[in-house]
Amino acid sequence: MEETEFSATGVRIERWARSLTRAGQVIVKDGRVALLNSYGREIDSAPAGAVRACRPWFAGVDSTVARVNGTWYRLTMGQHDRGPAPAGLSRRFLEALRSAGGQPGREAGPAGRG
């Protein structure tokens, strides 16, 4: 079994104006991205090659926006943890997403770039 490429807990997951969880989890594993709520139930998931994500100019350094199955989510890393979020957690998520999408045999086409 392949090791998890990225995992973050205490993630605030919002569908723009609506908060879905303040203590969620983001996982990049085996070429898939999964957004989980605080109980570990799946909010959404998709092949990493089909997920688009970036750090928008208007968000803080710990925030990322990701498009999963056509739905945009705002992910704020380390929101529920005690103390500040680990440095570069959002950047590590983007790197893990990029490397997972670049693996041979991915399920998505060119729309996953970016």
Side-chain angles (χ1 to χ4, degrees):
M1 178 173 238
E2 190 174 316
E3 187 175 318
T4 302
E5 290 99 26
F6 178 84
S7 179
T9 57
V11 178
R12 182 181 190 107
I13 302 174
E14 299 170 297
R15 192 177 307 143
W16 293 118
R18 182 175 173 222
S19 178
L20 302 176
T21 183
R22 293 184 304 167
Q25 188 173 10
V26 176
I27 298 174
V28 179
K29 181 177 181 180
D30 298 332
R32 289 192 66 80
V33 176
L35 307 177
L36 308 175
N37 68 13
S38 57
Y39 298 106
R41 296 187 112 171
E42 187 175 289
I43 294 171
D44 209 344
S45 72
V51 175
R52 295 183 60 101
C54 64
R55 283 194 315 198
W57 62 269
F58 57 83
V61 74
D62 58 349
S63 291
T64 306
V65 292
R67 185 176 183 198
V68 181
N69 292 324
T71 303
W72 284 99
Y73 296 95
R74 182 173 177 176
L75 312 173
T76 307
M77 308 288 180
Q79 190 70 24
H80 198 267
D81 294 339
R82 296 173 197 241
L89 195 57
S90 185
R91 180 181 46 80
R92 289 190 304 161
F93 165 66
L94 294 172
E95 289 171 359
L97 183 62
R98 198 169 294 120
S99 69
Q103 293 176 356
R106 69 181 190 194
E107 296 177 34
R113 287 188 213 146

